Amino acid sequence: MLEGLFKILEIIMKKIYLLLTSTLLVFLTSCSTIPPADFTLQEVPSVSKKDAEMVSITVGYEAKKRGMKIETNHLVPTAWQTALEDAINRSLIFSDDQERKFSLSVRIYHFDLPAAGITMVSDCGAMYEVLDRNSGDVVFSERIYTSGSVPMNYDFVGVVRASESINRCARNNIRDFLIALDNRNI
């Protein structure tokens, strides 16, 4: 009889443990929301004004090549373009109504998402080309490779840290483009 009582207590304890574990997991994960794809720079770097007007910006993926790693979806180029246009407009690097007119073409050639880990790190690379629309010359051409890192103390939930690392990677890439363009005499 005592053995049967211990068996019943063991079953009850397992159910209580399962209930507490489930409640804890729900509590920990329900407090976090996955951040959206937001590549917009919070602070735009200080740049010098160019005597040209930016008339068009396009962002897409580079044609797939052997060894190229892109683990994103169709939303990334649109989010990247929106953030890039915002950064260019806020930086005031280009003027309006100028004789020289430029087009910017961005081709994302690498986007590696974090698999798992304590610190989530994403890597991304993009080819930036600025074309002088009057002469047809490419006045700026550079591959920019960056990473975005999010530590464990940012959020307990891994998918939240992974999403934020993607955002930080793209933001860093756009920021580095503006700095590289500012340093170039075009």
Side-chain angles (χ1 to χ4, degrees):
M1 177 152 158
L2 195 58
E3 192 173 301
L5 184 61
F6 283 133
K7 208 166 217 166
I8 292 173
L9 283 174
E10 183 181 359
I11 292 171
I12 291 172
M13 292 301 289
K14 283 183 181 180
K15 288 186 179 188
I16 290 173
Y17 176 77
L18 181 64
L19 180 66
L20 287 175
T21 304
S22 299
T23 303
L24 181 62
L25 284 175
V26 167
F27 175 73
L28 289 175
T29 59
S30 66
C31 296
S32 300
T33 58
I34 299 172
D38 178 16
F39 303 159
T40 304
L41 298 177
Q42 302 304 316
E43 293 182 29
V44 178
S46 178
V47 294
S48 301
K49 191 173 278 254
K50 307 289 182 189
D51 291 328
E53 179 181 359
M54 181 63 69
V55 292
S56 72
I57 299 172
T58 58
V59 178
Y61 291 115
E62 192 172 88
K64 188 155 173 97
K65 296 177 186 172
R66 186 178 166 153
M68 187 168 99
K69 192 170 191 177
I70 296 182
E71 298 177 343
T72 62
N73 59 35
H74 66 284
L75 301 174
V76 168
T78 304
W80 196 299
Q81 182 172 344
T82 301
L84 184 57
E85 287 171 351
D86 177 71
I88 287 172
N89 290 337
R90 287 178 32 220
S91 72
L92 301 174
I93 194 166
F94 294 106
S95 303
D96 292 336
D97 299 326
Q98 294 293 314
E99 194 172 304
R100 292 181 71 198
K101 307 221 183 284
F102 291 156
S103 291
L104 172 60
S105 173
V106 181
R107 296 289 166 248
I108 301 166
Y109 66 86
H110 179 85
F111 219 117
D112 187 18
L113 307 181
I118 302 297
T119 299
M120 297 290 185
V121 179
S122 293
D123 300 316
C124 60
M127 176 67 173
Y128 291 84
E129 290 185 336
V130 177
L131 177 75
D132 185 327
R133 294 174 66 100
N134 299 330
S135 67
D137 294 335
V138 175
V139 296
F140 177 91
S141 179
E142 191 168 325
R143 286 184 177 271
I144 297 177
Y145 188 87
T146 56
S147 64
S149 177
V150 178
M152 177 68 175
N153 65 358
Y154 179 81
D155 197 291
F156 177 76
V157 181
V159 71
V160 173
R161 291 194 318 275
S163 295
E164 182 59 24
S165 75
I166 293 166
N167 289 340
R168 289 181 184 185
C169 183
R171 288 179 197 140
N172 291 341
N173 202 283
I174 292 168
R175 185 201 63 234
D176 287 0
F177 161 69
L178 284 175
I179 292 169
L181 185 62
D182 182 48
N183 292 331
R184 193 75 58 84
N185 187 16
I186 55 173

